[in-house]
């Protein structure tokens, strides 16, 4: 008697992963964890390269000046930072890490900041910047995209499909820079590279770390079980990482990386006001909407112009600095207005430490980078807008810690500034003290020092020999 047993149907995700990994009929998916997404030990083929790597690497080390282990300490290590220009925060964090490596370790590290998706991938990887800007302008569309891709099965299948089409190109991009360390500052710039390292049995030899650039609410794709370290900007994000299955040994909380020229700048407010041609006597409010000049900047500027003028005494009680970013239409519109109070209208600024150092409070949308910089300068914050998804949690992060307030009403935000500059000066000072307590100016240096320690560990000292890896063909 013959009994036929029905073969379990494979999901679309299993089929895609099977095609990517060359597994044929072997089912790679396991409940809640899969080799592609979680980096499960032993789940991916690694024959060939791993067996030859130790011998090849030993010859490479021996050929370095000084030879053997002593020469390796003097070798210049390559750091590859993966980012994408979907918002300004990812590139800002990447460049902050690059500058911190240079300041802390001089020429010991050569740091490359690259967008592998744009440089080596096809659609949609090479079009993420334009797509993100389009969705941010149509904010409901972004909200749907953010929450719609949050379930594990959705983004897992999406990332597996990207790996199927573009893994070869990502391999070529990674090997071009011969990295000793890989750092991701973008949630979509870790899954395919980590899979490639696992595939070639290189993960123990090449530390891969994630630096999260969202202060509170994060998309689940930030949290990958295969990373060596996950650097979180706040305790709230660290809790999310642990809930997503990362081990405590993988998680570190140092803060958001801010460029060294900002966080270590020693500034004198009186000197800055003279340099920037601001009124030395009047308190100043800084108004901005991120690099793109987003949010109700024009409406708030108009309201400030009214509220910061004392009609009874016929004099200004404060001055305004407006940073319009790349929004030239906004800048031109504000420049055409007639103002009763002193106003400075600027475009895209690269020395925000000076403008923040010269002002007494800030009105901005809830971007994590701007918030972190304002905290370092001790500026009380009025949040007037946020991007759904990743910026929602930034509002309670500021408000609950007593570093600022939230108001989407331009008139109310302007009235709050007027009160701070007239009757509620003590409240302004209290918010400023709380902001300084919440600030983490050394975060970027703490992160690079910890990465440097990882590089010194025995499991992470073997470099990827380019001559070896370049000779392999990668069949997907």
């Amino acid at each position: 008697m013959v009994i036929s047993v029905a073969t379990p149907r494979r999901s679309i995700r299993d089929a895609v992963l099977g095609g990517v990994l060359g597994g044929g009929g072997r089912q790679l998916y396991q409940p809640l964890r899969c080799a592609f997404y979680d980096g499960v030990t032993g789940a991916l083929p690694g024959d060939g390269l791993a067996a030859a790597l130790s011998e090849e690497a030993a010859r490479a080390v021996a050929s370095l000046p000084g030879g053997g282990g002593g020469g390796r300490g003097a070798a210049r290590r390559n750091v590859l930072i993966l980012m994408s220009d979907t918002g300004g925060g990812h590139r800002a964090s990447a460049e902050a890490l690059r500058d911190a490596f240079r300041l802390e370790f001089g020429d010991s590290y050569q740091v490359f900041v690259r967008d592998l998706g744009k440089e080596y991938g096809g659609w949609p990887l090479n079009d993420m910047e334009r797509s993100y800007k389009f969705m941010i302008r149509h904010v409901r569309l972004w909200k749907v995209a953010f929450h719609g891709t949050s379930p594990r099965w959705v983004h897992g299948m999406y990332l597996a499909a990207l790996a199927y089409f573009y893994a070869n190109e990502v391999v070529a991009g990674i090997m071009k820079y011969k990295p000793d360390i890989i750092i991701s500052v973008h949630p979509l710039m870790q899954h395919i590279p980590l899979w490639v390292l696992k595939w070639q049995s290189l993960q123990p030899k090449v530390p891969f770390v994630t630096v999260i650039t969202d202060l509170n609410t994060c998309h689940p794709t930030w949290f990958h079980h295969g990373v060596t370290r996950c650097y979180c900007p706040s305790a709230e994000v660290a809790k999310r990482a642990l809930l997503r299955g990362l081990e405590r040994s993988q998680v570190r909380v140092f803060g958001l990386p801010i460029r060294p020229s900002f966080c270590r700048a020693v500034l004198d407010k009186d000197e800055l006001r003279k340099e920037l041609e601001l009124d030395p006597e009047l308190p100043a409010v800084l108004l901005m909407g991120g690099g793109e000049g987003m949010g109700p900047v024009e409406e708030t500027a108009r309201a400030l112009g009214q509220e910061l003028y004392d009609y009874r005494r016929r004099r200004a009680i404060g001055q305004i600095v407006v940073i319009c970013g790349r929004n030239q239409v906004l800048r031109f519109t504000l420049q055409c207005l007639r103002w009763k109070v002193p106003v400075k209208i600027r475009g895209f600024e690269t020395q925000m430490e000076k403008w923040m150092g010269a002002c007494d409070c800030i009105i901005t949308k809830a971007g994590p980078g701007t918030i972190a910089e304002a905290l370092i300068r001790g500026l009380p914050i009025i949040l007037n807008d946020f991007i759904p998804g990743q910026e929602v949690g930034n509002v309670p992060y500021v408000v609950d810690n007593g570093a600022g307030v939230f108001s989407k009403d331009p008139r109310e935000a302007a009235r709050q500034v007027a009160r701070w500059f007239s009757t509620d000066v003590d409240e302004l000072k209290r918010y400023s003290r709380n902001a300084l307590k919440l600030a983490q100016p050394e975060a970027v240096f703490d992160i690079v020092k910890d990465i440097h320690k990882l590089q010194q560990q025995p499991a992470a000292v073997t470099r990827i020999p380019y001559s070896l890896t370049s000779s392999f063909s990668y069949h997907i």
Side-chain angles (χ1 to χ4, degrees):
M1 178 174 157
V2 178
I3 301 176
S4 61
V5 180
T7 304
R9 293 183 63 187
R10 302 171 70 204
S11 67
I12 296 175
R13 184 186 182 200
D14 291 338
V16 173
L17 284 170
V20 172
L21 303 176
R26 183 165 60 92
Q27 185 160 325
L28 297 173
Y29 176 73
Q30 299 174 1
L32 296 181
R33 287 180 177 270
C34 75
F36 168 73
Y37 188 82
D38 293 331
V40 178
T41 304
L44 297 176
D47 297 335
L49 184 57
L53 187 63
S54 57
E55 181 181 348
E56 180 75 15
R59 289 198 296 269
V61 170
S63 66
L64 293 171
R72 186 66 186 93
R76 195 179 192 189
R77 299 172 179 87
N78 288 341
V79 179
L80 177 60
I81 304 180
L82 305 178
M83 50 72 63
S84 175
D85 282 314
T86 50
H90 302 294
R91 178 174 291 277
S93 293
E95 292 177 349
L97 291 166
R98 178 199 61 196
D99 294 346
F101 268 110
R102 186 178 301 143
L103 287 173
E104 283 293 318
F105 305 108
D107 293 333
S108 297
Y109 290 95
Q110 185 174 17
V111 182
F112 303 94
V113 177
R114 293 293 183 268
D115 182 347
L116 291 186
K118 182 183 294 185
E119 295 179 22
Y120 293 93
W123 187 89
L125 290 177
N126 62 0
D127 196 41
M128 287 197 299
E129 180 182 356
R130 188 189 65 83
S131 300
Y132 178 77
K133 289 181 178 178
F134 175 81
M135 287 189 286
I136 290 303
R137 288 195 298 268
H138 303 82
V139 72
R140 291 185 179 178
L141 183 60
W142 170 251
K143 186 176 182 179
V144 170
F146 184 92
H147 294 290
T149 57
S150 291
R152 194 179 186 88
W153 69 272
V154 176
H155 61 251
M157 191 162 58
Y158 171 75
L159 293 166
L162 291 179
Y164 180 83
F165 287 106
Y166 302 123
N168 280 326
E169 288 78 4
V170 172
V171 169
I174 291 175
M175 293 311 169
K176 175 181 177 180
Y177 300 104
K178 299 166 280 185
D180 296 281
I181 306 165
I182 301 177
I183 303 172
S184 169
V185 295
H186 193 280
L188 297 183
M189 291 293 156
Q190 48 193 4
H191 302 82
I192 298 177
L194 271 168
W195 171 73
V196 168
L197 293 178
K198 175 66 73 175
W199 177 33
Q200 294 298 342
S201 300
L202 291 173
Q203 202 167 15
K205 307 173 189 298
V206 182
F208 190 108
V209 306
T210 297
V211 179
I212 297 178
T213 60
D214 291 324
L215 278 176
N216 193 322
T217 42
C218 301
H219 196 275
T221 47
W222 273 115
F223 306 113
H224 194 297
H225 300 84
V227 298
T228 313
R229 285 279 192 276
C230 178
Y231 295 103
C232 301
S234 65
E236 290 84 354
V237 174
K239 291 176 184 177
R240 296 176 187 274
L242 296 174
L243 288 173
R244 288 286 171 179
L246 271 71
E247 302 293 334
R248 290 187 181 275
S249 61
Q250 294 174 288
V251 177
R252 297 289 186 274
V253 182
F254 291 135
L256 194 73
I258 300 299
R259 65 188 186 279
S261 62
F262 186 102
C263 58
R264 285 192 171 176
V266 179
L267 305 171
D268 179 87
K269 180 173 287 189
D270 294 334
E271 292 297 324
L272 285 175
R273 290 195 169 187
K274 184 184 298 184
E275 178 184 344
L276 300 174
E277 299 180 345
L278 295 174
D279 190 302
E281 303 298 330
L282 290 176
V285 55
L286 178 63
L287 172 62
M288 55 190 298
E292 304 301 323
M294 297 172 56
V297 177
E298 180 183 346
E299 297 88 339
T300 306
R302 290 175 180 269
L304 286 169
Q306 296 293 321
E307 295 295 333
L308 295 183
Y309 185 78
D310 187 333
Y311 286 89
R312 185 169 62 85
R313 298 181 180 180
R314 295 186 180 182
R315 64 179 180 87
I317 63 171
Q319 57 188 322
I320 310 167
V321 176
V322 186
I323 307 295
C324 301
R326 300 180 185 89
N327 193 332
Q328 294 300 321
V329 174
L330 172 64
R331 185 180 184 183
F332 178 77
T333 300
L334 294 179
Q335 287 175 334
C336 292
L337 299 178
R338 299 185 64 180
W339 301 90
K340 295 181 179 180
V341 300
V343 178
K344 288 284 183 183
I345 301 169
R346 309 288 297 184
F348 187 84
E349 286 289 338
T350 58
Q351 292 184 314
M352 283 305 302
E353 65 272 15
K354 292 186 176 181
W355 291 104
M356 286 193 179
C359 291
D360 299 278
C361 65
I362 183 172
I363 303 176
T364 180
K365 78 178 190 69
T370 303
I371 290 174
E373 290 177 346
L375 295 176
I376 291 172
R377 290 284 154 245
L379 290 180
I381 304 169
I382 299 178
L383 298 175
N384 64 354
D385 199 9
F386 58 84
I387 296 174
Q390 72 268 29
E391 290 185 359
V392 171
N394 297 349
V395 175
Y397 180 79
V398 170
V399 175
D400 294 349
N401 285 289
V405 299
F406 173 74
S407 176
K408 297 196 76 169
D409 182 357
R411 299 294 302 186
E412 178 53 37
R415 292 190 194 103
Q416 180 65 67
V417 174
R419 289 194 293 269
W420 281 347
F421 288 178
S422 56
T423 58
D424 292 342
V425 176
D426 290 339
E427 182 181 87
L428 181 69
K429 292 179 179 178
R430 185 174 71 253
Y431 279 118
S432 179
R433 289 193 298 269
N434 291 338
L436 289 171
K437 290 178 184 177
L438 195 58
Q440 296 170 303
E442 293 296 306
V444 68
F445 296 100
D446 293 335
I447 292 171
V448 299
K449 288 174 184 176
D450 194 69
I451 293 173
H452 177 69
K453 291 179 182 178
L454 283 177
Q455 178 62 27
Q456 305 305 308
Q457 295 175 3
V461 297
T462 306
R463 182 169 180 155
I464 306 174
Y466 182 65
S467 59
L468 177 65
T469 54
S470 61
S471 65
F472 274 76
S473 59
Y474 299 87
H475 300 291
I476 302 297

